[in-house]
Amino acid sequence: MDSLTITQPDDCHLHVRTGSVLKSVIAHTARQFGRAIIMPNLKPPVTTVEQALAYKQEILSALPADSTFKPLMTLYLTGNTSVAEVEKVAACDAVHAFKLYPAGATTHSEQGVADIKSIYPLLASMEELGVPLLVHGEVTDQASDIFDREKIFIETILSAVTQKFPCLRIVLEHLTTLEAVQFVEAANANVAATITPQHLLFNRNRILAGGIRPHFYCLPILKREQHRLALLAAATSGNPKFFLGTDSAPHLTELKENSCGCAGCYTAYAAMELYAEIFAQADALDKLEGFASFFGADFYGLPRNTAKLILKKQPWTVPVHYGEPGQYITPLLAGETLRWQAASA
Ligand code: DOR
Ligand code: ZN
């Protein structure tokens, strides 16, 4: 198959930042996606509906003039989040979920939640009001092996949450392990998951291929090949619990190529091209539309998009950087050839 037309997709997990970085990246997402669930881990984090509405305006102002792209906002859970804020979110059409960052798990997570039990009253309220909980699923105990942190989080924290709050709608974000796939498959219909392009394309060898490759470093970190294969099987299975979330996470090149490089892969520039590559390689292009365009919208109770996106087999070379001089962002697979190109229909 050399060309594929699908319903316009949604990115159910996206970082766009603010200021000049936002201006450099947002058009890349808007070119392909109808909507995106916007992560709230700014500095300082987006913790109130008021802040989310202001951030939404900043995103809308950074869009190309003719764009119809819609940012779907989220709030960052802290130890200080109140039940009143959960009620505000439930009543606000612009804010779609809360994001749980265990404190210290990843970029700008310092103000996240240190003790999951401390937010049980909030989870009870979210369960009652139908507000989804989006989860960065890694324990933060620095003594646990970094490759085991997702598995341990599921065993010690998430299992208890799903048992105590069976009607809470949960998205376990950016799955990286076989154990996470199995957990989501076995859980009830309120539990779903996103899968990134990098975790479908690469295993952990890619971070250390002939030297340290900082652009392949993200959190949760890439895992062994057996885990990549489990994610690929889940993404191409047609199971509506698994849907597209790029976790595209721009950082300036100098902060990635650094003695303490930031976590995050910049994939928004070619998100659908990367997923097309993955699904084509797996001989599962017929499953791409469900994964990219239907299952996420259905989970969030949003109408499916009506516009179309065309993916064509047409090789092109990824630029070595995007963004402004002095503010460059290196895309994942910079300088390499991608086989697919996306265009609106
Ligand atoms: O690699 C990551 N980058 N993982 C996250 O959880 C956060 C993200 C970011 O914001 O840079
Ligand atoms: Zn993320």
Side-chain angles (χ1 to χ4, degrees), residues 93-334:
D93 289 344
V95 183
H96 294 263
F98 277 93
K99 177 76 188 275
L100 167 63
Y101 287 103
T106 187
T107 309
H108 302 164
S109 64
E110 301 78 9
Q111 293 184 57
V113 173
D115 171 17
I116 187 77
K117 292 215 171 93
S118 71
I119 62 157
Y120 274 9
L122 302 175
L123 300 187
S125 172
M126 290 166 62
E127 179 181 46
E128 191 191 326
L129 298 171
V131 177
L133 174 72
L134 316 183
V135 179
H136 183 108
E138 287 191 288
V139 289
T140 55
D141 163 18
Q142 297 301 300
S144 0
D145 193 282
I146 189 168
F147 294 99
D148 294 335
R149 286 180 195 167
E150 182 177 86
K151 178 173 171 279
I152 300 172
F153 181 89
I154 291 169
E155 288 166 1
T156 61
I157 297 176
L158 192 57
S159 303
V161 169
T162 53
Q163 272 169 34
K164 192 157 174 62
F165 305 102
C167 296
L168 179 60
R169 303 177 60 62
I170 296 176
V171 183
L172 182 55
E173 301 288 344
H174 40 54
L175 296 195
T176 65
T177 57
L178 167 64
E179 290 82 0
V181 168
Q182 289 171 339
F183 176 83
V184 172
E185 282 172 347
N188 72 30
N190 294 318
V191 179
T194 54
I195 308 182
T196 77
Q198 65 267 24
H199 292 103
L200 291 167
L201 282 165
F202 310 118
N203 65 39
R204 66 191 195 177
N205 287 344
R206 196 63 191 245
I207 314 167
L208 297 168
I212 294 179
R213 306 279 177 177
H215 299 292
F216 294 88
Y217 172 59
C218 65
L219 289 172
I221 198 161
L222 297 176
K223 305 295 194 299
R224 284 178 183 276
E225 180 65 1
Q226 73 179 107
H227 298 293
R228 186 186 75 83
L229 293 174
L231 298 171
L232 189 58
T236 58
S237 67
N239 183 339
K241 282 169 163 269
F242 300 103
F243 47 82
L244 184 156
T246 60
D247 197 17
S248 177
H251 290 279
L252 297 186
T253 299
E254 70 210 48
L255 298 178
K256 295 273 308 164
E257 297 173 3
N258 190 291
S259 63
C260 185
C262 294
C265 299
Y266 183 59
T267 54
Y269 76 98
M272 286 308 297
E273 286 90 344
L274 294 168
Y275 283 109
E277 190 85 35
I278 294 157
F279 278 66
Q281 268 174 30
D283 201 14
L285 277 174
D286 60 321
K287 297 291 198 306
L288 182 58
E289 186 177 43
F291 176 80
S293 315
F294 296 160
F295 305 153
D298 296 352
F299 182 88
Y300 280 98
L302 300 166
R304 293 175 179 181
N305 292 317
T306 51
K308 301 281 176 197
L309 185 79
I310 306 180
L311 290 154
K312 285 196 183 133
K313 220 179 200 176
Q314 221 166 55
W316 59 290
T317 305
V318 178
V320 291
H321 52 239
Y322 287 103
E324 305 292 316
Q327 299 256 297
Y328 286 141
I329 295 160
T330 304
L332 191 75
L333 295 177

Side-chain angles (χ1 to χ4, degrees), residues 53-108:
L53 295 178
Y55 185 28
K56 180 179 176 183
Q57 276 315 312
E58 187 186 353
I59 296 169
L60 291 173
S61 311
L63 281 169
D66 57 347
S67 178
T68 56
F69 173 80
K70 289 196 183 67
L72 309 174
M73 310 313 291
T74 62
L75 296 194
Y76 181 115
L77 277 172
T78 75
N80 295 323
T81 305
S82 64
V83 168
E85 206 64 47
V86 178
E87 290 165 354
K88 276 195 199 164
V89 167
C92 174
D93 289 344
V95 183
H96 294 263
F98 277 93
K99 177 76 188 275
L100 167 63
Y101 287 103
T106 187
T107 309
H108 302 164

